[in-house]
């Protein structure tokens, strides 16, 4: 495909994840899960600032009032970047730690869990409501990962990495509930190198998925047809999102774990944040959490 890929930030992340473009500050949020860090990268200035929370950070989301919402350790709550603190609102029982998350079009924060070592079906997907309440909305998950929605918000796209596919659910925007009976496979990735991890959509409705251990970003339409394939010079490719002033730059997070020493020698930019330009695609502004970000749950 056309376009240009380059390291935007040679971060050396152990496990970079959860890229979120902040359109108010024109900066990229991302996390290093295993270092317990939240980063804010300013592409214009070339600076990257971080805070350490002392426990794994699965994902972050923007809050409409400023600040961040996060899935940290095995809890969901508020992150204060200035104080470098995490205030947990809810701790969950299903899984060993939180993983990928994103806000739905109504401002709910959905995030899932995983177990270490993996226990199939022992994790779940949760929804942090604007009221501050927490709901479990999907059971029997093995390794909860990428989340994205159709333009009208009525379809949820979801990745349970162990299943090696992208599934779709009918999604009730009024209640924030996926219909389990509607679950269907949109993209079967079992024959593709690596396994699906994080995901985003573009303004044409295409799904861009990072292939962990597959060294690639793959783009599919919602009929499961491959539209683009971009190789990434890192043994672990974790997630992606559109950013930049016109949301046309695809930012890609990568990691060094669980690569071997030989792989790290072969791929010196492992753990970098890459920028892919000239794809012809654009994304959507990240939805912000629309809840009790300052006061905590009711």
């Amino acid at each position: 495909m056309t376009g240009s890929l380059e390291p935007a930030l040679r971060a050396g992340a152990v496990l970079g994840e959860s890229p979120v473009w902040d359109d108010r500050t024109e900066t990229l949020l991302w996390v290093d899960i295993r270092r317990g860090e939240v980063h804010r990268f300013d592409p214009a200035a070339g600076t990257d600032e971080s805070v350490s929370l002392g426990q794994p950070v699965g994902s972050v989301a923007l809050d409409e009032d400023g600040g961040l919402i996060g899935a940290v350790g095995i809890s969901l709550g508020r992150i204060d970047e200035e104080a470098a603190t995490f205030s947990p609102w809810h701790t969950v029982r299903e899984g060993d730690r939180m993983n990928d998350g994103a806000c739905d079009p109504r401002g709910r924060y959905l995030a899932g869990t995983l177990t270490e070592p993996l226990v199939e079906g022992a994790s779940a997907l949760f929804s942090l409501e604007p009221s501050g309440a927490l709901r479990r909305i999907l059971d029997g998950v093995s390794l909860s990962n990428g989340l994205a929605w159709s333009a009208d918000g009525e379809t949820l796209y979801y990745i349970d990495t162990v299943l090696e596919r992208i599934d779709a659910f009918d999604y009730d925007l009024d209640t924030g509930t996926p219909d389990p009976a509607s679950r269907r496979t949109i993209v079967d990735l079992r024959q593709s190198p690596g396994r699906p991890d994080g995901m985003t959509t573009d303004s044409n409705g295409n799904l861009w998925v990072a292939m962990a251990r597959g060294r690639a970003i793959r783009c599919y339409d919602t009929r499961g047809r491959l539209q683009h394939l971009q190789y990434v010079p890192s043994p672990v490719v974790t997630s992606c999102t559109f950013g930049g002033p016109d949301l046309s730059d695809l930012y890609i997070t990568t990691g060094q774990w669980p690569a071997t020493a030989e792989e790290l020698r072969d791929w010196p930019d492992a753990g970098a944040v890459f920028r892919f330009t000239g794809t012809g695609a654009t994304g959507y502004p990240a939805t912000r959490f629309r809840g009790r970000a300052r006061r905590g749950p009711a």
Side-chain angles (χ1 to χ4, degrees):
M1 67 179 292
T2 60
S4 176
L5 180 77
E6 63 178 0
L9 176 68
R10 289 184 167 91
V14 176
L15 190 59
E17 253 285 6
S18 187
V20 181
W21 181 256
D22 185 343
D23 57 346
R24 294 180 185 174
T25 62
E26 295 195 347
T27 56
L28 181 77
L29 288 159
W30 63 279
V31 308
D32 190 330
I33 293 177
R34 292 192 165 256
R35 285 188 176 133
E37 296 173 346
V38 178
H39 291 250
R40 188 178 287 271
F41 170 53
D42 184 339
T47 58
D48 182 65
E49 299 180 352
S50 67
V51 297
S52 178
L53 300 180
Q55 51 187 323
V57 183
S59 56
V60 293
L62 299 165
D63 160 37
E64 67 174 2
D65 292 330
L68 303 175
I69 303 298
V72 180
I74 197 62
S75 303
L76 294 100
R78 180 173 172 80
I79 296 170
D80 186 324
E81 284 183 273
E82 292 187 5
T85 58
F86 172 65
S87 301
W89 293 355
H90 298 280
T91 298
V92 305
R93 296 179 180 178
E94 295 83 356
D96 292 335
R97 72 162 173 84
M98 304 301 306
N99 204 42
D100 212 347
C103 286
D104 81 359
R106 296 284 176 84
R108 305 174 184 92
Y109 178 45
L110 275 62
T113 57
L114 55 76
T115 54
E116 294 180 319
L118 178 70
V119 178
E120 292 192 10
S123 297
L125 179 65
F126 299 86
S127 175
L128 181 61
E129 304 291 304
S131 68
L134 185 72
R135 292 189 303 123
R136 188 174 65 247
I137 60 173
L138 188 63
D139 290 312
V141 173
S142 295
L143 201 170
S144 189
N145 244 315
L147 295 151
W149 284 264
S150 58
D152 61 10
E154 294 180 356
T155 302
L156 166 66
Y157 301 106
Y158 179 63
I159 292 172
D160 183 340
T161 293
V162 170
L163 301 178
E164 298 189 64
R165 66 194 194 207
I166 302 173
D167 285 349
F169 294 83
D170 294 345
Y171 189 76
D172 187 329
L173 271 176
D174 291 331
T175 64
T177 305
D179 176 11
S182 70
R183 187 171 189 166
R184 64 264 187 200
T185 297
I186 299 297
V187 183
D188 186 337
L189 292 159
R190 288 175 296 175
Q191 302 305 313
S192 300
R195 299 201 299 176
D197 198 326
M199 174 174 56
T200 193
T201 54
D202 66 25
S203 57
N204 292 319
N206 296 318
L207 302 165
W208 297 72
V209 57
M211 298 300 292
R213 304 296 284 168
R215 299 203 301 271
I217 296 288
R218 303 175 75 93
C219 174
Y220 293 89
D221 65 19
T222 54
R223 295 183 179 179
R225 298 176 297 193
L226 182 66
Q227 303 296 300
H228 305 294
L229 173 61
Q230 174 61 44
Y231 291 102
V232 180
S234 176
V236 182
V237 182
T238 57
S239 193
C240 57
T241 196
F242 285 94
D246 57 359
L247 298 176
S248 64
D249 298 338
L250 187 70
Y251 284 94
I252 302 165
T253 50
T254 68
Q256 298 180 344
W257 179 89
T260 65
E262 182 179 4
E263 286 175 318
L264 295 179
R265 288 194 299 270
D266 291 342
W267 306 101
D269 285 329
V273 176
F274 290 86
R275 179 171 48 227
F276 187 34
T277 59
T279 66
T282 57
Y284 295 101
T287 305
R288 295 171 182 264
F289 180 71
R290 298 170 187 165
R292 299 174 180 269
R294 299 184 198 178
R295 291 174 288 173

